[in-house]
Amino acid sequence: MHNSFKPIDRVLMGPGPANVHPQVLEALSKPTLGHLDPQFIELMDEIKLLLKYIFKTESEHTFVLSGPGSLGMEACLVNLVEPGSKVIVCVAGYFANRMTQIVSKLGGRVVVVKDDWGRAVDPQKLASALKDNPDTKVVAFVHAETSTGALSNINLLSEIAHKSGALVIADVVTSLGAVDVYVDDWQLDAVYSCSQKGLACVAGMSPVSFSERAVHFVKNRKTQVQSWFNDLNLLEGYWNGPGKRAYHHTAPSNHYYGLHEALMILKDEGIENAWKRHRENSAKLISKLKSQLGLEPIVPDGERIPHLLTIKVPEGIDEAKVRSELLAKHNLEIGAGLGELAGKVWRIGLMGYNSNEKLVDFCVNSLKDVLKK
Ligand code: PLP
């Protein structure tokens, strides 16, 4: 007899994945359905409705891609960027930088609006870049920059972009389900997220939503979409085919059960209540980290992602050693700094199911124990 894999029951308080809600884990193990089974199609329709609720959108072009957040990033860019078209990307961290790489691969002309890592995107800089580049077709930015802990005012960024006629792409990977996102009110033309953070689900699914403007653009592109898997025209046939669905790919049906359960849990709580819970628990965490351990966030007040804190590593502390001791002794995972912030910060997340008071205290007490040595 072989030994089945037995993962350690860790507490995941890094930048994601976060712990999966137990009800979601249960849902994943239900009997598998075929991806064109009538009951599975009903499930897809329900997922669409629930996603519209979570994204705060009425757009019918709202569905899930079978892949991680990075697939959603590629899908939004590949559909809206044509070779040679000018794209402004607001870069203040690792993930926005990844967007610039994708735009380059697609043959787009990238204009970078740069801000410091650890700060929100400066709307004035975007306004002046658009003045200098009136032929910009797309403006892309990250709402919650997971690499730095900074939250940008994407409502304002979107308003500025639309004034010059550009389409807007927003990364809501770390914000969806945890902090206010209003896709319609903020006129976001293409958004993508993930399943493993605020939604408390397993990784591997990317909720996306496209506006009518975006769909109109894709239907009237001068050039073909440079991807088969992510071509919105084909995806629409799978998710929105009139009365029937065209085979596109074999959807991971058990994963979709998990996502459905995760979205139902959020709907039962009420999305606004979930946002409030994230804000309140994170405020408690930051106040205890400051008062009991003297730890400070690097992002200024008013620009911080509530549920993902980037904490400055104190002078003389070996940050990697602290993380490995937390893991070994307390089964607690927190994140390291990424890119420019590697070695300088810890990233502590209170996302989805993990945003609760018990874990606030668990994290503070575990850190206290390890740091006192
Ligand atoms: N964008 C942001 C802001 C992220 O934080 C991440 C991952 O953490 C991604 C994109 C990529 O998502 P994934 O790792 O699910 O592909």
Side-chain angles (χ1 to χ4, degrees), residues 203-255:
M205 285 163 289
S206 179
V208 290
S209 183
F210 296 88
S211 69
E212 289 299 340
R213 268 186 311 268
V215 173
H216 177 82
F217 173 83
V218 177
K219 290 206 170 116
N220 293 285
R221 279 175 61 129
K222 293 185 198 76
T223 56
Q224 294 195 62
V225 175
Q226 297 173 76
S227 162
W228 180 87
F229 192 71
N230 271 332
D231 184 338
L232 186 56
N233 298 303
L234 301 177
L235 287 163
E236 288 274 344
Y238 186 44
W239 280 90
N240 279 341
K244 61 183 174 65
R245 304 298 155 100
Y247 163 66
H248 180 266
H249 67 283
T250 309
S253 44
N254 291 60
H255 263 58

Side-chain angles (χ1 to χ4, degrees), residues 15 68-70 73 95 98 142 144 146 171 173-174 192 194 196-197:
S70 306
M73 186 188 281
F95 289 102
R98 186 183 281 181
V142 175
T146 327
D171 174 314
V173 167
T174 290
Y192 59 91
C194 72
Q196 73 271 20
K197 302 189 199 232

Side-chain angles (χ1 to χ4, degrees), residues 13-15 146 148-150 281-287 289 296-299 304-312 335 345-350:
M13 293 182 71
T146 327
T148 70
N281 287 319
S282 299
K284 282 180 197 146
L285 177 61
I286 202 145
S287 132
L289 289 175
E296 291 291 337
I298 62 153
V299 180
R304 218 176 280 145
I305 305 174
H307 52 285
L308 181 73
L309 304 172
T310 35
I311 300 294
K312 191 166 180 277
V345 297
W346 291 303
R347 291 183 297 155
I348 305 182
L350 270 180

Side-chain angles (χ1 to χ4, degrees), residues 1-7:
M1 264 300 275
H2 67 276
N3 292 321
S4 296
F5 179 62
K6 288 200 186 68

